[in-house]
């Protein structure tokens, strides 16, 4: 099937209020495997933390779904996913599920990015920030095995097909940062199949994948993302001038444009400067993080945090203490305004 028409996606965009959300990882999870696997899945903590986001005024969450958990606990995982969707709906928040992911880190610069492993996840790393525990999905070994790669279709069809008319889901983000870690050629088969598998389900929700390199004329992955997405999405941790240039370029397509990751204090992707632009242009946006937890991605340095380090992401710590009250007030003022 072809992607949705420009008119259909524009009508979908007009039918919703301005969406302002965040990428949700519960504080107990060092990565998305620990988030979802049955031994550690904690719906009570999830509900509590979703209430915090809704209380600030956020209207949506973007959430990563790990293929490896579906492989091992398919029915249980699907039940947990439905519980999560309902927990978000109970506080009037839409959900943007992410099905695949090439974003990967490892605490060792020698071994390189690690594939996901089943079972207990590595303990929290106490001497470095813990994005080192984030793993890709389905993982690079699956990407490189044609038979294993083809098996991913059942996962896409179970989730997208099972929720093709679920109004708790705003849209499907099929693949986070395809080609991250430099595997651009290797990710193309999965990227193209992900769109095909999802479209076989004929979901009412739009599909999107944001380009990673952001250079469509040089990058085949970016070209596929932009040509196949119903709604144009991208990540930006740039200053307001940088993100303005990106918005100007992507708006030329005529389709709705959304930002599925932004907000980095270190790189000056700040609420004070970026939010007014996104709000004025009616660009829906999901910042990275809300509450600092086991992931420790609030810290910007690979060195041990010392308590004085400028936070990269997040608004609160796990005890509920606000990092920057002025920023939180500003974000709340935009989140609850409901323009458009």
């Amino acid at each position: 099937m072809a992607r949705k028409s420009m008119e259909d996606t524009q009508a979908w965009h007009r039918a919703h209020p301005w969406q302002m959300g965040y990428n949700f990882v519960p504080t107990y999870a060092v990565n998305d495997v620990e988030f979802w696997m049955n031994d550690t899945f904690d719906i009570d903590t999830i509900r509590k933390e979703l209430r915090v986001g809704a209380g600030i005024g956020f209207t949506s969450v973007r959430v990563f779904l790990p293929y490896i958990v579906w492989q091992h606990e398919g029915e249980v995982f699907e039940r947990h996913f439905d519980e999560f969707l309902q927990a978000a709906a109970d506080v009037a928040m839409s959900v943007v599920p992410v099905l695949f992911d090439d974003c990967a880190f490892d605490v060792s610069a020698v071994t390189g990015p690690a594939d996901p492993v089943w079972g207990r996840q590595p303990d929290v790393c106490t001497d470095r920030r813990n994005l080192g525990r984030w793993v890709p999905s389905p993982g690079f070994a699956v990407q490189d095995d044609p038979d294993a790669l083809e098996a991913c279709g059942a996962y896409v069809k179970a989730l997208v097909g099972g929720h093709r008319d679920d109004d708790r889901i705003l849209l499907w983000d099929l693949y986070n940062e395809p080609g991250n870690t430099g595997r651009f050629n290797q990710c193309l088969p999965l990227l193209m199949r992900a769109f095909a598998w999802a479209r076989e389900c004929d979901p009412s929700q739009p599909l999107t994948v944001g380009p990673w390199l952001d250079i469509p004329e040089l990058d085949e992955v970016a070209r596929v993302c932009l040509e196949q997405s119903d709604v144009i999405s991208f990540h930006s941790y740039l200053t307001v001038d940088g993100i303005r240039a990106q918005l100007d370029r992507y708006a030329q397509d005529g389709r709705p444009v959304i930002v599925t990751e932004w907000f980095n204090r270190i790189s000056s992707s700040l609420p004070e400067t970026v939010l007014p632009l996104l709000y004025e242009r009616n660009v829906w946006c999901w910042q990275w993080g809300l509450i600092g937890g086991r992931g420790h991605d609030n810290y910007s340095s690979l060195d041990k945090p010392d308590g004085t380090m400028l936070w990269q992401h997040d608004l609160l710590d796990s005890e509920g203490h606000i990092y920057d009250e002025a920023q939180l007030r500003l974000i709340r003022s935009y989140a609850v305004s409901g323009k458009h």
Side-chain angles (χ1 to χ4, degrees):
M1 296 182 65
R3 66 176 177 170
K4 296 183 186 298
S5 70
M6 189 178 302
E7 292 74 20
D8 285 346
T9 54
Q10 289 171 340
W12 166 86
H13 193 248
R14 290 193 300 270
H16 293 83
W18 189 58
Q19 299 288 304
M20 183 174 171
Y22 59 98
N23 286 261
F24 180 86
V25 182
T27 55
Y28 66 79
V30 77
N31 58 29
D32 57 351
V33 178
E34 193 167 59
F35 180 169
W36 290 102
M37 61 187 298
N38 191 49
D39 284 350
T40 46
F41 183 77
D42 184 349
I43 192 61
D44 291 334
T45 295
I46 288 168
R47 288 194 182 104
K48 175 184 176 182
E49 294 177 1
L50 287 172
R51 286 196 297 269
V52 172
I56 292 171
F58 288 112
T59 60
S60 186
V61 285
R62 181 173 180 256
V63 62
F64 291 75
L65 308 181
Y67 174 65
I68 193 172
V69 178
W70 182 86
Q71 278 184 300
H72 288 266
E73 298 178 339
E75 290 185 6
V76 174
F77 172 76
E78 290 176 30
R79 186 171 70 248
H80 288 331
F81 180 50
D82 191 73
E83 288 182 74
F84 180 87
L85 291 174
Q86 192 55 48
D90 287 343
V91 291
M93 299 179 79
S94 66
V95 177
V96 178
V98 182
L99 299 190
F100 298 115
D101 183 12
D102 274 359
C103 189
F105 298 87
D106 193 279
V107 296
S108 168
V110 176
T111 59
D115 266 0
V117 295
W118 181 242
R120 177 177 173 173
Q121 298 302 290
D123 289 333
V124 173
C125 182
T126 58
D127 62 346
R128 303 175 72 175
R129 72 170 181 156
N130 290 295
L131 270 178
R133 304 310 190 192
W134 195 264
V135 289
S137 177
F140 304 132
V142 172
Q143 278 190 7
D144 295 340
D145 181 334
D147 293 333
L149 181 64
E150 201 62 33
C152 293
Y155 160 73
V156 174
K157 293 175 184 179
L159 293 173
V160 178
H163 296 274
R164 58 184 298 273
D165 289 317
D166 193 333
D167 59 10
R168 298 173 298 182
I169 294 175
L170 184 66
L171 73 156
W172 297 95
D173 192 343
L174 298 179
Y175 202 147
N176 181 66
E177 299 185 355
N180 192 338
T181 72
R183 292 173 52 89
F184 291 100
N185 292 331
Q186 294 93 329
C187 80
L188 266 171
L190 178 57
L191 174 63
M192 297 173 73
R193 282 174 171 82
F195 276 112
W197 291 326
R199 290 213 159 97
E200 285 181 33
C201 302
D202 193 21
S204 57
Q205 311 94 341
L207 309 177
T208 193
V209 177
W212 171 232
L213 259 190
D214 193 31
I215 312 175
E217 63 273 19
L218 300 179
D219 175 18
E220 179 70 7
V221 172
R223 186 190 64 78
V224 171
C225 291
L226 297 173
E227 290 184 356
Q228 290 294 318
S229 290
D230 300 319
V231 174
I232 304 301
S233 65
F234 69 99
H235 296 174
S236 183
Y237 293 109
L238 302 177
T239 65
V240 65
D241 290 337
I243 196 170
R244 182 183 292 109
Q246 290 175 299
L247 290 172
D248 289 344
R249 183 165 70 255
Y250 289 129
Q252 295 176 16
D253 183 88
R255 291 176 177 269
V257 178
I258 64 175
V259 180
T260 48
E261 289 185 26
W262 77 280
F263 188 23
N264 184 321
R265 295 180 180 93
I266 304 303
S267 64
S268 295
S269 173
L270 300 172
E272 302 93 303
T273 53
V274 172
L275 265 182
L277 173 67
L278 299 177
Y279 185 75
E280 179 60 31
R281 296 199 182 187
N282 193 20
V283 174
W284 302 353
C285 56
W286 288 259
Q287 68 182 51
W288 186 268
L290 176 68
I291 306 173
R294 272 169 57 82
H296 280 194
D297 53 339
N298 48 324
Y299 296 113
S300 63
S301 174
L302 293 178
D303 298 322
K304 184 175 181 178
D306 63 4
T308 63
M309 188 176 294
L310 179 65
W311 278 20
Q312 181 169 234
H313 308 296
D314 294 327
L315 302 178
L316 305 98
D317 66 18
S318 58
E319 301 300 318
H321 301 125
I322 299 169
Y323 177 72
D324 186 319
E325 292 192 8
Q327 283 185 336
L328 182 58
R329 285 196 302 270
L330 179 64
I331 287 171
R332 177 182 282 117
S333 72
Y334 280 97
V336 303
S337 57
K339 185 180 179 181
H340 307 290

